[in-house]
Amino acid sequence: MIAILSIGDELILGEIVDTNSATLSALLYDNGMMVKEHATVGDDETAIIEALKRLSKDYKTIVVTGGLGPTTDDITAEAAAKAAGQNVALNEEALKHLDDYAKRAQRILHPINRRQAMLPEKAGIIPNPQGTACGFIVTLNGSSMFFLPGVPSEMLKMFKATVLPYIMKQRQETDIYQTVTMTTFGAPESELGAMLQQVILPENITLAYCVNFPSIFVKLRGKGADPNILSSEMEKATQNVKDILGELVVTEGDSTIDTIVAELFRKTGATLALAESCTGGLISKRITDIPGSSEYFLQGAVTYSNGSKERLLGIPGHILESYGAVSHETAEKMAIGIRESAGSDIGVSVTGIAGPDGGAEEKPVGTVFIALADKKGCTVERCKFRGNRDAIRNMTSYKALDIIRRHLLSY
């Protein structure tokens, strides 16, 4: 049984988001262990002591992050000592680490940093290869409590190097846990739920959904004693879900739609050119964020004004005058024009009204046309997105990538 305790006023006040708890939970789950509770307290000694005492009665393992810095609001070590009925004392190993760190950084150790070597007298040290604050281990009510800095990069490195191996060695649970995450796009959560009602799962595997705008994660979580049997069951359940959802499943695991589109371009050998209006180059950015995109991405144009659409894409003025910049006809000409200009296999265009102004009854804010042209012709899709300007632009870029993904799957 594992719990995570995050410490810091900045977390309680919402000044920063607690990413440490999410990172630790995912890492433990990937290694077959389930976190049962996340708790957060501010930089208050009494609150920290009470939290440690409570959690130590219910959990054999507690991972604590935050409050190990050199300033007066960093009181985790003192609180941990009091909770465990110990005094704080100068830890020679932690002090040596501070001195060595200062020498490597070629700077004089500030006297205030010595506070970071004042630890519970019976604490074991967790080395910190990156920062000044060593972590430490304290036992309370038979519970092993691991104290780590709140800095995410330091915390993660220390956890992987020291804490995780210790927990893995000491764990007594017979059950292991596995999860499979599938990223879906193109259907709301309710529709996905209705489609997957027909999925028959063994009792040890559950199905869950998580909205991660503009996509939705479909998660399979399994528990079992034999990792090989569990892996086989998870594989069958995953394939069952994929068979039902079809092309709604964008990817599985840590891949994103951006990386999947890149893989498909490399696999098919197709080339791409983009003409963007309302997204202002966002799709081109997502494409070129992937290393090696120069192999298939030939050209991008942000044709925001009507004049640029005429000059760069060769769209006749009468098309723009008759149908408007946000129209089926203009999107079609944009896609064809950029493809011909670049000499690419595929030309994709987007034009729309991202708001907050510019909408009308027949074309409200959120109206977007996305076109894809290839040697066989051109298809145009009219979309209606909701949200603020950023949400509409983000949704448009994701939808455009999904249209490209589906097209490349047909190669």
Side-chain angles (χ1 to χ4, degrees):
M1 299 282 283
I2 303 174
I4 296 172
L5 175 63
S6 301
I7 297 173
D9 285 344
E10 66 277 11
L11 303 176
I12 292 291
L13 297 174
E15 294 171 344
I16 66 170
V17 176
D18 177 18
T19 58
N20 284 344
S21 292
T23 300
L24 290 170
S25 289
L27 190 54
L28 285 162
Y29 194 92
D30 287 343
N31 283 274
M33 292 170 282
M34 176 74 79
V35 171
K36 294 294 184 180
E37 182 177 343
H38 289 179
T40 306
V41 295
D43 295 309
D44 178 274
E45 188 177 88
T46 301
I48 297 171
I49 293 171
E50 290 178 352
L52 292 174
K53 288 182 175 180
R54 177 184 68 82
L55 292 172
S56 69
K57 294 176 182 178
D58 296 328
Y59 301 96
K60 290 297 183 183
T61 302
I62 303 165
V63 183
V64 186
T65 67
L68 300 186
T71 55
T72 55
D73 62 335
D74 293 305
I75 56 175
T76 297
E78 291 92 333
K82 289 182 179 180
Q86 301 178 25
N87 295 317
V88 291
L90 183 65
N91 186 292
E92 294 296 337
E93 186 178 349
L95 182 61
K96 183 178 184 303
H97 167 79
L98 286 167
D99 289 333
D100 291 343
Y101 180 89
K103 290 176 183 177
R104 290 196 305 270
Q106 295 183 335
R107 67 189 189 196
I108 299 174
L109 186 69
H110 196 285
I112 195 175
N113 284 103
R114 290 178 64 87
R115 292 188 73 248
Q116 294 176 291
M118 299 296 294
L119 304 177
E121 57 188 345
K122 297 180 182 179
I125 291 297
I126 301 174
N128 183 348
Q130 287 187 209
T132 57
C134 284
F136 58 91
I137 306 171
V138 171
T139 300
L140 176 61
N141 295 326
S143 173
S144 297
M145 299 188 293
F146 303 88
F147 293 82
L148 301 171
V151 180
S153 59
E154 295 181 26
M155 180 280 300
L156 183 58
K157 197 159 190 174
M158 295 166 69
F159 182 81
K160 286 182 176 180
T162 303
V163 180
L164 182 59
Y166 184 96
I167 295 175
M168 294 285 288
K169 186 177 181 180
Q170 297 296 318
R171 72 189 298 260
Q172 297 177 349
E173 294 180 61
T174 56
D175 285 332
I176 59 170
Y177 299 87
Q178 292 183 11
T179 183
V180 173
T181 301
M182 287 162 275
T183 301
T184 70
F185 179 78
E189 188 177 8
S190 57
E191 185 176 331
L192 291 174
M195 294 175 69
L196 293 177
Q197 282 184 341
Q198 57 187 300
V199 175
I200 299 175
L201 299 173
E203 291 184 358
N204 61 318
I205 298 179
T206 59
L207 186 64
Y209 306 87
C210 176
V211 177
N212 184 41
F213 179 85
S215 60
I216 296 175
F217 294 149
V218 175
K219 293 177 175 284
L220 289 169
R221 300 188 178 109
K223 180 175 73 172
D226 187 312
N228 295 323
I229 294 176
L230 181 58
S231 294
S232 177
E233 292 174 332
M234 292 290 285
E235 186 176 341
K236 291 178 183 177
T238 300
Q239 190 57 53
N240 196 354
V241 170
K242 287 182 175 179
D243 289 343
I244 293 172
L245 297 184
E247 290 188 358
L248 289 174
V249 177
V250 175
T251 183
E252 178 185 330
D254 295 331
S255 298
T256 65
I257 192 169
D258 306 63
T259 57
I260 289 298
V261 167
E263 289 175 12
L264 287 170
F265 270 117
R266 283 190 281 265
K267 181 180 179 180
T268 61
T271 55
L272 171 71
L274 293 168
E276 301 182 61
S277 183
C278 62
T279 47
L282 179 57
I283 306 169
S284 296
K285 178 188 181 304
R286 294 181 67 160
I287 290 288
T288 56
D289 278 346
I290 306 300
S293 55
S294 59
E295 297 176 15
Y296 48 85
F297 183 52
L298 304 186
Q299 182 176 318
V302 179
T303 53
Y304 218 64
S305 67
N306 283 358
S308 66
K309 291 179 176 67
E310 292 185 56
R311 292 191 309 274
L312 299 178
L313 304 176
I315 300 176
H318 68 85
I319 294 290
L320 293 165
E321 293 174 7
S322 300
Y323 303 103
V326 181
S327 64
H328 179 289
E329 292 77 9
T330 296
E332 180 180 52
K333 294 297 184 182
M334 288 173 66
I336 293 172
I338 195 65
R339 177 175 178 268
E340 292 177 349
S341 173
S344 59
D345 297 308
I346 301 169
V348 173
S349 70
V350 295
T351 180
I353 306 169
D357 304 317
E361 185 176 350
E362 67 278 8
K363 294 177 185 177
V365 170
T367 300
V368 176
F369 291 89
I370 305 176
L372 186 148
D374 64 4
K375 63 182 180 181
K376 297 179 182 179
C378 184
T379 58
V380 183
E381 186 169 343
R382 176 172 178 157
C383 308
K384 177 62 178 73
F385 301 131
R386 297 179 180 178
N388 59 24
R389 184 177 180 84
D390 286 342
I392 291 170
R393 285 156 57 96
N394 187 24
M395 190 71 170
T396 300
S397 70
Y398 204 108
K399 178 67 174 179
L401 288 171
D402 192 55
I403 288 173
I404 295 170
R405 177 184 71 90
R406 291 170 181 258
H407 180 80
L408 292 175
L409 286 173
S410 67
Y411 267 50

